[in-house]
Amino acid sequence: MTDAPDALWLQWLLQALQSAQAALLQTLHALGLVPTLHGQPAWPWAWRLAGDTLLFDLGQARRLAITLGLLTLALLLAGLALAWRRPRLPLLALAALLPLLAPWPEWAAVRVAATPASFHASPTGFDARSIAHGQQLYRQLCVDCHGDDGRGHGPLAARQPVWPPNLAGPLLWRRADGDLLWHVLHGMHDARSNQPSMPAFAGRLSADDAWALIDAMKALAAGQMLRQTGQWLQPVRLPAFSLRCPAAPGRTASTDLRGQRLRVMVPGDTAPPPDPRVVTVALAPAGAGAAWPLAAGTDCQATDLAAWTALALIAGHTADAAALAGTQFIVDRAGWLRARSAPGAADWQEDDLVCRAASTSFPSTSTSSAAGPVPAAGTPGNDGLGSLIARMDAEPVRYVKGGVVH
Ligand code: HEC
């Protein structure tokens, strides 16, 4: 295993590759050279440059970085030669020589198959309503093959030319979101037999439906990984939902609370006391509607019932959303869901931190997971929540998606 994701230059390189290709696509689109598909410009080539392989092949990544550096230098020299007459010939000769000297990486290490939607970005913002809508569609259209839990054991699975993949693992995070969109709308072919494998849903689903399905599948996968391993192996954001905060009427969505630590409470048997270290957001009990009065000790109240559905999926309660009652979540300042307590638990425990730095980036890297609570300067109290907050602050989430740190 490599320590590649820790290398700043590599993160920068991958970001640069991604942004350069996205900028190229926008330019082609502005010039009218590529069509719009599913609301966004379509990538015109069957390949794109990507970091997925480079993360595991540092040698190729170095070659690519040096080659790009030399090509930039060659362009600069050529520009200089145009502007400056006397040393023009030697400058041009040097500019022509540099690409020949460059240690070009292997093509296979830097290119991956692309779809026309490879650079499409999800418009949903991981919204609770989108997750709830997607879950409904998933139950109608996808369970027969992919199964309730996404692991690919639906009743029709065995009859497919290839077994449906496990969607309840890291697969959805390895793919570009746009490629997932494409596969849901336009289906897939088995590479070996060239038979249709995953059916196409473009006739039955809009692009918005497909984006909603992608959100729902990610929520489902997060919940299933939590069930299997006790952790959110891929970091998950708190879904966006609308809320009201009597003391801060300007805040109307959970995303308006970014920058603060949140405690999200699902109504259950016991309501914990107020705590100044966190902004407490309560979900409305099912059927309560927006008129539900704010419970003592809460700062804000969700006005969106879909928040419950979405968090139930993320917590692994796939079939029984009611089982979420009494659960609490802690969200860090960047909006990541970090901890989840068991319903009715008296205090926070070490094990409640289910999104940890060591498990969130890449399989190798950091080994800090076994450490106990980290005593940090200014630790707000030394109870369970205090240690949890200190640990959370000491291990910020680094989110790597399709080879790019976000
Ligand atoms: C008739 C069975 C069947 C149904 C119904 C079905 N799938 Fe699939 N799905 C498959 C198979 C088989 C594959 C594996 C395809 C392959 O790798 O060639 C797959 C693959 C996928 C993948 C992985 C894509 C990737 O990039 O590797 C996703 C995501 C997915 N399906 C989502 C869905 C969604 C969402 C629905 C419902 C709208 C759905 N599937 C309905 C059979 C099905």
Side-chain angles (χ1 to χ4, degrees), residues 136 195 352:
Q136 247 178 349
Q195 275 191 47
D352 293 336

Side-chain angles (χ1 to χ4, degrees), residues 137-149 153-156:
L137 293 172
Y138 183 86
R139 285 188 176 152
Q140 284 165 16
L141 299 171
C142 322
V143 279
D144 283 350
C145 293
H146 290 286
D148 284 329
D149 57 7
H153 298 295
L156 297 185

Side-chain angles (χ1 to χ4, degrees), residues 141-142 145-146 160 162 165 175 183 188 197-199 201 217:
L141 299 171
C142 322
C145 293
H146 290 286
Q160 306 309 312
V162 284
R175 299 272 190 267
H183 292 156
M188 292 170 79
S197 46
M198 156 81 189
F201 286 91
M217 286 188 291

